[in-house]
Amino acid sequence: MVGLLPRVVALPLWLEAVAGVGLLPLVSGSHKYTSWGVLPQNPEKLAKYHAEHYLYPIGFKSHREYWDVAAPAEKCVYVSAIEDGGMEGPLYTVTKLADPSIRFQNNTASGVCMNLLEAISEAKAKRGVESTNSVPGICGPDMFGLSK
């Protein structure tokens, strides 16, 4: 009966991270990663979930502190996620952890980041505070923790 029992293999830590096994949550720099997500199995759909320098796995989630839309002089934690947008490609969301009703979504990571920055600028303007978001301090891949 040799070969019928599953072989147990210890994965190197870097492979566990790539495979999405263990190591979560993982804190690296300003990000806390809580889900690696998965890439679609369908080759046609998969083509929409990666680019030359980035992978966009469905279910990917990271947390990052940034300026609060509700109180722009303070910071809060946002959850950046990549959701299944079907054959159209990924749907990128940024949601305030403490108040999930504050949610932004777009079909690009940079687009959803710009939505957040515009909302922060509007909140500052309503309070008579000068906006400092004219030159974005973060871009989509940075907000999600997909770069570097």
Side-chain angles (χ1 to χ4, degrees), residues 31-101:
H31 292 88
K32 179 169 98 173
Y33 299 93
T34 57
S35 175
W36 299 124
V38 296
L39 291 171
Q41 297 297 309
N42 177 320
E44 292 172 13
K45 187 174 180 180
L46 176 61
K48 302 278 186 172
Y49 287 80
H50 71 87
E52 183 178 351
H53 298 288
Y54 302 110
L55 295 174
Y56 307 115
I58 299 165
F60 172 89
K61 287 186 182 175
S62 65
H63 295 206
R64 181 190 173 121
E65 191 175 78
Y66 201 66
W67 299 108
D68 190 345
V69 172
E74 300 174 17
K75 289 191 173 185
C76 69
V77 175
Y78 290 97
V79 178
S80 299
I82 300 174
E83 298 178 3
D84 191 343
M87 294 302 286
E88 299 299 314
L91 178 64
Y92 302 88
T93 64
V94 173
T95 306
K96 184 176 173 180
L97 181 63
D99 183 359
S101 70

Side-chain angles (χ1 to χ4, degrees), residues 4-148:
L4 293 180
L5 296 175
R7 199 169 81 157
V8 176
V9 178
L11 297 175
L13 289 179
W14 68 268
L15 185 56
E16 286 184 8
V18 170
V21 178
L23 294 179
L24 292 175
L26 172 70
V27 176
S28 177
S30 59
H31 292 88
K32 179 169 98 173
Y33 299 93
T34 57
S35 175
W36 299 124
V38 296
L39 291 171
Q41 297 297 309
N42 177 320
E44 292 172 13
K45 187 174 180 180
L46 176 61
K48 302 278 186 172
Y49 287 80
H50 71 87
E52 183 178 351
H53 298 288
Y54 302 110
L55 295 174
Y56 307 115
I58 299 165
F60 172 89
K61 287 186 182 175
S62 65
H63 295 206
R64 181 190 173 121
E65 191 175 78
Y66 201 66
W67 299 108
D68 190 345
V69 172
E74 300 174 17
K75 289 191 173 185
C76 69
V77 175
Y78 290 97
V79 178
S80 299
I82 300 174
E83 298 178 3
D84 191 343
M87 294 302 286
E88 299 299 314
L91 178 64
Y92 302 88
T93 64
V94 173
T95 306
K96 184 176 173 180
L97 181 63
D99 183 359
S101 70
I102 298 177
R103 184 176 192 264
F104 304 90
Q105 68 181 39
N106 200 294
N107 60 352
T108 68
S110 294
V112 74
C113 186
M114 290 305 297
N115 294 347
L116 172 64
L117 293 174
E118 288 169 8
I120 292 169
S121 291
E122 289 173 14
K124 286 181 175 183
K126 285 180 185 176
R127 290 167 175 77
V129 177
E130 184 180 341
S131 177
T132 56
N133 295 331
S134 58
V135 178
I138 59 171
C139 72
D142 290 336
M143 180 72 182
F144 279 71
L146 297 171
S147 60
K148 301 177 186 166

